[in-house]
Amino acid sequence: MPGESRRIVFPEDVWIRRFSVSEGQSMLLRAESDVSDTADTQRNLLSKEGSVLPRFSIEDPVKLRALKGSASLKHYKGYLKLTLCGFILMALAYTIYIVDPLEFAKTKYMNIEEGTFLYSLWQKPPVKIFIKVFIFNVTNAKEFLMKKDLKLKVHEIGPYVYSEQLVNTNVTFNNNHTVSYRPIRTLRFEPGLSVGNPMEDLITVSNIPFLGITSMLHNSSMTLNLGLSGIVSFLDTQPFVDVSVHDFLWGYDEQLVKLASKILPNWITFPKFGLLDRLLDEGNNTVTMHVADKSKKDVNKKLYSIDQMNGYPGLPQWGYKSGYNRTTCNNVQGAFEGYVYPRHISPNDTFFLYRKSFCRTLPLVYNKSGFSDRGIPVFIYKLAENALDSPIMNPDNACYCKNTNKPCLPSGLSDLSPCYYGIPVAISLPHFLRADPDLLNKVEGLRPDIEKHDTIVKVQPDLGFPIYVNTRVQLNLVVHKTKFTPRVKPFDNMVIPVFWLQVEMTQLPDSINHLLDLLVFIVPVLQKTIMWFLFLVGFSLLLIASIGYVWISQFFNNTSPLISKNMKKHEKLVNVSQMQIIPLTNVHSIARGR
């Protein structure tokens, strides 16, 4: 009725939640029973709030559902953005895992091709290779020749150290994924690492040209041997010589050599004989090596291995002939020079090391895994224990005993004579390590030690970089039973140790060390960190979005029936079409103003 105070009655503790479109926030209204809705009270509240309060019509459920749908859509859009960001981040993490950018960079830039970093390292290696020479000085030469001493006494002196610089020249890349080049090695004496001055230090050593030529002709005709004996007597050639270390290594005047170079210039091409000079003479050798085939993605175990040496995949010195008679021991194809190895090597891989001075390949077998001094993981390889065994014990060495007119050398020795003018010289491990024990019976002063005399190579398995190299070989003179030369008789059937070499690379330059640190430690950790960070952040965003979807769906599904139910239940008690929504904080103000 006009002038009559109208009352809006709600059941006690009824809560109504409404989402305001204009303000974008939810507001709560709690109506207490018997609250008077007078015009004065409303005006007081409006003046206290200082603004017009939002309204909604409880008689218009369509509008209420529209407001609810608008708010729900905003929440869904936000969670959709989180979902999209999560999928993008996880996709990036998965891409890093599949593509492996670090491996891609290694494959692209760690190949031997013009302009790459590895090419510059290979073409002129910045690493320092040291060749340490240990000479067996004879201490009882007179007593041995006079047969007062039945054993030759030697004393090891050294090292005399030389640094080796390698330059690969005449580099030509071929169409069959190989590269041909000519290696040139130069040596420089390192006085700071040596025990003395090779120009001043005098030694007593075996006269290798004299003993070698005599031994080489031991099965020749009597006429030839008598002629040689006459020349030796005329020149007064002695089985021992006193020379300086430098002359012994790089060349001293030997009348027999000088005469042979004049009579047989096609055989002896040098007027002076120096042992290291002859041993390290590379000549005009041309090496052809396998390089990467970019069309193949699989791991190529032939990578950086020798394809041909002077146009042949085998060594003619050991019976290889073009197109046939290729055996395990005369094969050079697949061997390595030792400056770089293929990537991704495994413990099952065996590498054959070739160097012209060895006159053969030497097998390196996996020994164990370990770490370098800088903590870089490496595979440790050693020379196979049967590498220098006789063909009876190791059939793979059959071609090294090709002369059927004389017995094979004892185990522990490998013949070099086809590579050195036919002179019967042989290599072994230093101090006859792992050799036939009888070799030590005629020589005093040798003490084989596996720690000092074995060969060790450490390779970083992922990159194929040699981290540490220590190759040790000994040169020996094999003297057969001779005829008609009395001066050589004390040496009959004897193997004389001459010297041994230690070819080592113990340190890498800083540029390579920094590269290894970057490729082995820093970049892999950084790449994994980024990959896992992207994955975890993306997964977290997806998880948050999923929880949000579930929460908002449950909330609107639970609140809509409650509002509709209360609206229908109390619709008849409301006599006005609109009401003002009073914030919960002002409910007590209503009560006080009543």
Side-chain angles (χ1 to χ4, degrees), residues 506-568:
T506 58
Q507 290 183 342
L508 295 173
D510 291 339
S511 59
I512 298 182
N513 281 328
H514 295 330
L515 177 65
L516 289 174
D517 290 340
L518 190 67
L519 296 179
V520 176
F521 296 123
I522 300 175
V523 176
V525 173
L526 183 62
Q527 179 173 291
K528 285 186 178 180
T529 301
I530 294 174
M531 181 184 69
W532 281 108
F533 175 78
L534 293 175
F535 175 80
L536 292 176
V537 172
F539 181 79
S540 299
L541 293 179
L542 288 179
L543 185 61
I544 293 172
S546 300
I547 295 174
Y549 286 135
V550 173
W551 177 82
I552 197 171
S553 298
Q554 290 181 348
F555 175 78
F556 282 108
N557 290 336
N558 292 336
T559 56
S560 295
L562 178 61
I563 295 175
S564 300
K565 180 179 179 181
N566 287 317
M567 287 171 59
K568 292 179 180 180

Side-chain angles (χ1 to χ4, degrees), residues 80 182 344 365 567:
L80 182 61
R182 179 189 172 195
H344 305 303
V365 296
M567 287 171 59

Side-chain angles (χ1 to χ4, degrees), residues 153-226:
K153 295 180 181 180
V154 296
H155 174 68
E156 178 184 292
I157 60 173
Y160 295 92
V161 184
Y162 298 84
S163 60
E164 179 185 83
Q165 179 63 60
L166 170 67
V167 179
N168 291 314
T169 62
N170 299 337
V171 179
T172 303
F173 286 91
N174 306 312
N175 294 328
N176 61 344
H177 309 294
T178 61
V179 58
S180 299
Y181 57 94
R182 179 189 172 195
I184 297 179
R185 292 178 169 89
T186 56
L187 270 65
R188 185 180 67 179
F189 179 65
E190 298 287 345
L193 302 176
S194 303
V195 296
N197 187 345
M199 304 290 290
E200 299 175 355
D201 296 347
L202 297 178
I203 54 175
T204 300
V205 291
S206 305
N207 190 340
I208 294 179
F210 169 43
L211 296 177
I213 293 175
T214 304
S215 178
M216 180 180 65
L217 300 177
H218 75 286
N219 276 335
S220 299
S221 65
M222 182 179 66
T223 303
L224 187 58
N225 276 278
L226 287 174

